[in-house]
Amino acid sequence: MEKNKLEKYKNLLESELKLLENELNSVGRKNPDNLKDWEAEPDEEALPSADSTDYADEIEEFEGNAAILKELEIKYNETKKALEKMKNGTYGICDVCGKEIPEARLDANPSATTCLEHVK
Ligand SMILES: [Zn+2]
């Protein structure tokens, strides 16, 4: 891939990573035992309490947070992986078949690590 194109995707990935990190920090916190992992951290008010009449609602909110966190975490790890591939000089190459990933796909999703045929 041409250097200026690589640079373009690198910038996209780096700003995406920052954005994701901010969002992750707002819905969860890093697991101290595994910094690659985030845990859902509901704020005090969102914690279910037995004497609350909105118990079910609060549990739902906590589960909602955990689901959002999971999604963000997957995206975050994909973005990190793509940046890693950039360092190794294998960015834009499918992890499965080793063919070049079409640029249209990278434009739509710069963190793609497989061609369309090999989407997980
Ligand atoms: Zn492939």
Side-chain angles (χ1 to χ4, degrees):
M1 190 180 290
E2 289 163 42
K3 216 181 160 197
N4 58 342
K5 277 183 188 154
L6 263 181
E7 203 63 28
K8 179 183 93 178
Y9 292 122
K10 190 170 176 238
N11 288 336
L12 284 172
L13 286 168
E14 279 174 349
S15 48
E16 174 84 353
L17 200 70
K18 266 193 208 123
L19 214 85
L20 287 167
E21 209 156 346
N22 284 342
E23 286 183 51
L24 279 163
N25 280 324
S26 72
V27 284
R29 65 183 174 91
K30 273 187 185 174
N31 179 344
D33 301 322
N34 177 7
L35 292 175
K36 278 186 180 163
D37 206 25
W38 267 266
E39 297 170 329
E41 187 180 48
D43 31 75
E44 293 289 295
E45 292 150 44
L47 269 178
S49 53
D51 59 321
S52 169
T53 50
D54 300 322
Y55 190 68
D57 278 356
E58 286 173 2
I59 289 182
E60 216 165 89
E61 190 178 327
F62 175 61
E63 282 175 352
N65 259 6
I68 292 165
L69 194 79
K70 193 84 222 145
E71 286 283 305
L72 287 170
E73 201 180 14
I74 291 169
K75 282 209 87 179
Y76 181 84
N77 286 331
E78 277 174 0
T79 307
K80 268 214 119 125
K81 202 180 157 202
L83 279 164
E84 205 103 320
K85 278 170 76 88
M86 215 163 249
K87 263 188 225 154
N88 299 336
T90 56
Y91 180 75
I93 292 169
C94 174
D95 270 351
V96 180
C97 66
K99 283 186 201 150
E100 274 184 32
I101 300 170
E103 254 173 61
R105 173 159 165 70
L106 290 173
D107 282 335
N109 176 19
S111 63
T113 54
T114 60
C115 69
L116 270 176
E117 244 176 278
H118 296 113
V119 178
K120 282 157 261 175

